[in-house]
Amino acid sequence: MGRQTITRYADLGFVLFIVLCLVLSVLSLRYHRRAIEQETINTQTKLAELHTRAAVEQLAQTISTVDLLMRSLLESGYAERSSDGWKATLKAALINSPQLRSLSLLDDSGRVVISSNDDDLGLKPATAGYLPDVAPHSDLLRVGPPYHGRDLADGQEILDWSDVQPDIGFVPLIRSLSMGEGPRLSLIAVLNVDFFLNRLALRDAVPMEFDIVRYDGRILFSTAEAVHTAGRIASNREIAAGWAAGNESGVVPSVLDDDSALITHRVDTRLPIGVIAHVDLDAAITAAKSESRRQQATLLPIIAIALIAVLIAYLMFRRIGERQFRTQQIELARVGQLLDTLPAAVLLFDAEGRLVLSNRTWSETSLGDAVGAMRAKAGMTIEDFAAYLSHDDARPDGPVRAVLNGQSPAFDGEFATQSSLGARYFQLIVRPFAFDAFNGVTVMLLDVTRRRDAEQESELLRAAVNAAPSGIVITDTDAHIEWANPAFSELTGFAFDEAYGRKPAELVRSGLQGPDFYKRLWEAIRSGRVWRGELINKRKDESLYHESLTIAPVSDERGVIHHFVAIKEDISERKRLEARLIELARTDPLTGLANRRAFTESLASELDRMRRHDHPLSVLMLDVDFFKRVNDQHGHAAGDRVLKIVAELMRNKVRTTDALGRVGGEEFAIAMVETGGDAALELAERIRAAVADTRIDIGGQTIGVTISAGVAVAHKGDTVDGVLSRADTALYAAKNAGRNRVMRADDPA
């Protein structure tokens, strides 16, 4: 078989290989796309089940808390006979119950006689249709139908969710209690639907909508923005019927209005209500398809480039092979010229040790004065040659003679000499030579001065890098570690043997930086730019640290990047100091409360939230009465102690959701979220009373102080300065009225 035939078969086999690779690539990408879609469906199903379970548990826990509150109020109500006492009790209960809009007490006829909302007085709410379906005055907690509106006074029962999607609504709960011979007491609580919707809206990891449904299939409230379709309402009723039959949870595939959906549901057996989640599978699969197309758009060009690269490599190797075959025909003709083409000087000495042959490199080499003198000497011997290469009593003639006489099979060594060019280093390679009757020795002389200088420079550089306090890492273009200095091990806890061949991402990545961060990093260094930045990494012992990182690409003379050099520095202490400075800039150093700047920022945020959600917001301004007198009579240390104790009393009285700050010398401010003016007045009065009842020890002497307070209710048009100014005006009205009192600002016109 000729050479051309073999080449043709090789070309055909390579083409078939390329076609097979393309077919396998297309099939693999198609399989991968289907696998991604199925995995997406499975993931969405699991997430939907988890979110549904969490929603049911949150709903059950909240309603159980309301039930416990109502029962506690009813049981304590037998000891409370006055209307004012009942009303104060109901309002106090609402302060820490954001899930409720109002609490109302019903008489035996079902009419509201006492309520936290005066607009509800005298109403007779309908109690038919409550679940469970028991006697109207049963001791069980019963859940009413959904209503449109804010409270009982303006509520309208929602009968058909296919016609309306209320922007605000509530669900009533009723509980009755009788004890002995006393009258039967009934409480009706209005659930704040927005409280639940806001928490359900936070579960946006899955494209789903929640319906809260009673056992009779009626929707109490929903996170859906559009009105419900007839198919969705029917599906909810069918699932609710299953609850009554004992099917407490499950996953139901469904097609509603030509949309592929997945329904997960769960019910808490303690309550006549459950949660139904509708997952839009089309939206989830669309995202999976988009991801698959993105991956294909990335992989197909890579596969094509790889195949093209393989084709180019094949053609190059084929051309190289053909070229080598042609050059082999003339190699023998060039053997005679081999010595002249060698970069090293080659010398041939006979059995007597006299020079008989040298190549062109030897005659053309300029190695300084020593070699120039050797060229001029006729009949040079091994000893003459060695004399010019000897330095510090090291002579090469002994080893050369040993090879010539058969005492040594070969010799390799380095020698140094001095010339007008300075110190020069040479490598000698000595081998015996025998041809026919000729016996001698060949000596190859290489000038390795540059290599020695480079090695010394490299050693110096290595020593400097090893001594550097910053961690230094060298990787290949795929980020595999090839070298690291000791500072890297001190910083990360990984010895070099543990890190070698691995990627830094496998060792120290903390997961606190997202994919976009690393994408931008790689785009920068792969384009030849130096990247600098800060990130949080993880040591071997799992501890986190802040790191300043600089990565520089290393390119060859053609601009091709072949390595990356990274310099790593631990900046954890600097970051800790920065965080501490930020904290000091926002905190009052004496009381530990927010300073004026931090408080006004919190108040501005609460004003924005109030305007978005239409929740009440009240602001209190409080000032220590006659504080200057305390400083003057007892000293500034005593004044500081008074401020600390007053601040601690306030901190113990406010909720964690409220904002408390020191805004002046002896002046404090409180922003009470979702709190009206009456509740704010109550809190201000409790704080005033607590301060007035507290005795403060000052150097063995006890003193008392009082505070004055002003209350202002924020409105939609208010600014931070505006509402603070009104609260401050009320504060000084309290001061002018005699101090140790609370005043409320008039509402703006």
Side-chain angles (χ1 to χ4, degrees):
M1 185 179 293
R3 180 178 177 82
Q4 286 188 342
T5 304
I6 295 175
T7 302
R8 288 173 183 172
Y9 277 121
D11 292 344
L12 178 60
F14 185 77
V15 171
L16 291 176
F17 169 75
I18 295 294
V19 172
L20 179 62
C21 289
L22 288 173
V23 172
L24 291 177
S25 298
V26 172
L27 292 177
S28 298
L29 290 174
R30 181 174 297 179
Y31 172 80
H32 182 63
R33 183 194 66 191
R34 293 177 180 173
I36 288 178
E37 292 178 1
Q38 186 59 46
E39 183 180 356
T40 300
I41 293 175
N42 295 339
T43 301
Q44 301 288 12
T45 301
K46 292 180 181 179
L47 287 175
E49 288 180 311
L50 290 173
H51 286 309
T52 303
R53 176 180 303 206
V56 166
E57 292 175 353
Q58 184 183 50
L59 182 66
Q61 181 181 6
T62 304
I63 294 181
S64 297
T65 302
V66 173
D67 183 26
L68 181 63
L69 173 65
M70 296 174 68
R71 184 175 182 85
S72 174
L73 291 173
L74 289 171
E75 290 176 351
S76 63
Y78 279 92
E80 178 60 65
R81 298 301 183 185
S82 68
S83 297
D84 291 339
W86 259 109
K87 186 173 183 180
T89 300
L90 295 181
K91 287 188 175 183
L94 284 180
I95 292 177
N96 295 315
S97 302
Q99 67 271 36
L100 298 179
R101 289 224 178 99
S102 68
L103 286 167
S104 301
L105 184 68
L106 307 181
D107 60 13
D108 289 340
S109 66
R111 189 176 305 279
V112 177
V113 294
I114 301 172
S115 176
S116 61
N117 184 357
D118 294 339
D119 294 338
D120 294 342
L121 294 175
L123 296 178
K124 188 174 184 181
T127 58
Y130 281 60
L131 291 183
D133 188 9
V134 294
H137 296 292
S138 170
D139 287 350
L140 292 175
L141 179 72
R142 301 169 63 213
V143 181
Y147 283 83
H148 175 71
R150 292 195 58 82
D151 210 338
L152 297 174
D154 62 346
Q156 297 180 0
E157 185 176 352
I158 302 173
L159 300 176
D160 188 358
W161 283 79
S162 63
D163 291 336
V164 63
Q165 174 66 20
D167 56 353
I168 189 170
F170 65 88
V171 175
L173 305 176
I174 192 169
R175 168 178 270 286
S176 301
L177 181 69
S178 61
M179 298 178 65
E181 299 297 328
R184 175 173 293 276
L185 299 179
S186 297
L187 266 181
I188 186 166
V190 174
L191 279 184
N192 180 8
V193 170
D194 289 343
F195 176 85
F196 297 99
L197 293 179
N198 290 338
R199 281 149 182 80
L200 291 176
L202 298 176
R203 307 180 184 276
D204 57 357
V206 180
M208 69 170 69
E209 295 176 343
F210 290 100
D211 290 341
I212 311 304
V213 182
R214 296 197 314 180
Y215 269 30
D216 59 357
R218 294 195 66 177
I219 301 173
L220 297 181
F221 53 90
S222 173
T223 62
E225 296 182 358
V227 297
H228 286 54
T229 63
R232 178 163 172 173
I233 294 174
S235 176
N236 287 348
R237 289 176 178 169
E238 183 178 349
I239 292 173
W243 292 342
N247 185 16
E248 298 177 3
S249 64
V251 179
V252 181
S254 176
V255 178
L256 298 177
D257 304 317
D258 297 328
D259 291 329
S260 177
L262 183 74
I263 301 175
T264 62
H265 63 88
R266 180 172 289 272
V267 67
D268 191 304
T269 55
R270 298 171 296 177
L271 300 171
I273 57 178
V275 176
I276 301 175
H278 295 263
V279 182
D280 186 356
L281 283 183
D282 289 336
I285 294 178
T286 298
K289 288 180 178 179
S290 299
E291 175 63 17
S292 177
R293 285 193 295 269
R294 186 190 66 79
Q295 293 181 1
Q296 290 179 8
T298 302
L299 291 176
L300 284 176
I302 294 175
I303 293 172
I305 291 172
L307 292 177
I308 291 173
V310 171
L311 176 60
I312 293 173
Y314 172 77
L315 294 175
M316 289 178 62
F317 281 119
R318 179 181 172 187
R319 177 174 295 180
I320 291 172
E322 292 176 348
R323 185 177 298 167
Q324 288 177 345
F325 177 77
R326 290 192 299 268
T327 56
Q328 285 175 359
Q329 305 303 314
I330 58 175
E331 282 297 322
L332 293 177
R334 296 183 177 177
V335 172
Q337 302 173 353
L338 178 61
L339 292 178
D340 292 338
T341 59
L342 289 177
V346 178
L347 307 176
L348 179 61
F349 293 93
D350 62 14
E352 302 298 328
R354 292 188 299 268
L355 179 66
V356 296
L357 180 66
S358 63
N359 66 346
R360 183 184 302 169
T361 304
W362 169 255
S363 61
E364 294 179 350
T365 299
S366 175
L367 299 179
D369 299 336
V371 174
M374 281 190 283
R375 287 203 209 107
K377 183 175 177 63
M380 185 176 65
T381 64
I382 292 176
E383 286 69 26
D384 295 330
F385 168 76
Y388 291 102
L389 289 179
S390 299
H391 184 61
D392 293 337
D393 298 328
R395 292 175 57 89
D397 52 335
V400 175
R401 284 287 182 181
V403 175
L404 179 62
N405 298 331
Q407 298 172 350
S408 175
F411 173 75
D412 294 298
E414 289 188 4
F415 291 86
T417 187
Q418 289 290 335
S419 71
S420 60
L421 301 178
R424 309 293 293 176
Y425 296 90
F426 301 96
Q427 181 178 1
L428 265 64
I429 303 174
V430 183
R431 298 292 184 270
F433 180 82
F435 182 75
D436 291 339
F438 182 85
N439 291 299
V441 67
T442 58
V443 178
M444 182 178 291
L445 185 68
L446 295 173
D447 186 349
V448 294
T449 304
R450 291 185 178 180
R451 190 197 72 189
R452 286 287 299 266
D453 292 344
E455 289 176 353
Q456 292 178 357
E457 183 179 353
S458 177
E459 287 298 323
L460 179 61
L461 179 60
R462 181 184 296 272
V465 172
N466 282 333
S470 299
I472 301 175
V473 182
I474 299 176
T475 73
D476 61 15
T477 54
D478 292 325
H480 295 105
I481 295 175
E482 295 186 355
W483 185 87
N485 69 342
F488 169 80
S489 299
E490 295 178 6
L491 177 63
T492 65
F494 288 96
F496 175 68
D497 292 341
E498 298 176 281
Y500 179 76
R502 300 175 66 183
K503 297 181 179 181
E506 301 172 0
L507 302 176
V508 299
R509 180 174 290 185
S510 65
L512 298 179
Q513 288 78 221
D516 290 342
F517 176 88
Y518 292 102
K519 180 181 178 182
R520 292 191 298 271
L521 183 153
W522 278 104
E523 286 176 350
I525 62 178
R526 281 176 174 159
S527 65
R529 303 194 308 271
V530 176
W531 184 90
R532 295 180 178 88
E534 296 179 358
L535 66 164
I536 299 176
N537 272 339
K538 179 179 65 178
R539 295 186 176 90
K540 183 179 180 180
D541 61 3
E542 302 294 327
S543 62
L544 300 179
Y545 67 96
H546 289 269
E547 178 179 288
S548 174
L549 177 62
T550 301
I551 303 177
V554 181
S555 306
D556 58 19
E557 63 275 2
R558 297 172 298 171
V560 177
I561 298 173
H562 53 82
H563 283 88
F564 295 111
V565 177
I567 301 176
K568 308 160 76 67
E569 182 180 356
D570 187 352
I571 57 171
S572 301
E573 181 63 18
R574 191 190 79 190
K575 287 293 185 180
R576 186 189 67 78
L577 293 176
E578 290 176 355
R580 178 59 179 162
L581 289 175
I582 293 174
E583 178 185 355
L584 292 175
R586 296 178 56 84
T587 305
D588 174 46
L590 177 64
T591 63
L593 302 179
N595 59 21
R596 184 177 186 90
R597 175 182 177 183
F599 175 80
T600 55
E601 290 177 356
S602 299
L603 179 57
S605 299
E606 293 301 333
L607 285 171
D608 291 339
R609 196 167 73 90
M610 177 200 73
R611 287 188 280 268
R612 287 197 307 271
H613 301 291
D614 197 21
H615 292 320
L617 174 66
S618 298
V619 176
L620 279 64
M621 293 290 290
L622 308 99
D623 188 270
V624 180
D625 297 330
F626 299 114
F627 182 71
K628 185 177 183 300
R629 185 181 301 171
V630 174
N631 280 334
D632 293 343
Q633 294 180 357
H634 302 283
H636 288 283
D640 290 346
R641 177 168 173 77
V642 168
L643 292 177
K644 289 180 181 179
I645 293 176
V646 170
E648 187 62 27
L649 288 172
M650 293 181 184
R651 185 184 287 112
N652 293 335
K653 295 295 182 182
V654 301
R655 301 169 297 181
T656 57
T657 55
D658 298 332
L660 171 62
R662 180 187 176 192
V663 296
E666 66 271 19
E667 196 170 39
F668 301 86
I670 305 174
M672 302 184 64
V673 299
E674 299 185 11
T675 304
D678 294 340
L681 281 172
E682 279 189 32
L683 176 65
E685 181 59 32
R686 289 202 303 272
I687 294 174
R688 184 206 63 77
V691 173
D693 293 341
T694 301
R695 304 298 296 176
I696 302 172
D697 180 38
I698 303 296
Q701 176 185 1
T702 60
I703 65 171
V705 296
T706 62
I707 63 170
S708 300
V711 179
V713 178
H715 300 277
K716 288 187 176 181
D718 268 335
T719 62
V720 171
D721 291 338
V723 70
L724 285 176
S725 177
R726 289 193 288 110
D728 198 54
T729 300
L731 166 64
Y732 280 95
K735 292 276 189 182
N736 295 332
R739 293 181 171 80
N740 192 23
R741 66 191 65 223
V742 180
M743 300 290 284
R744 177 172 175 174
D746 294 333
D747 292 338

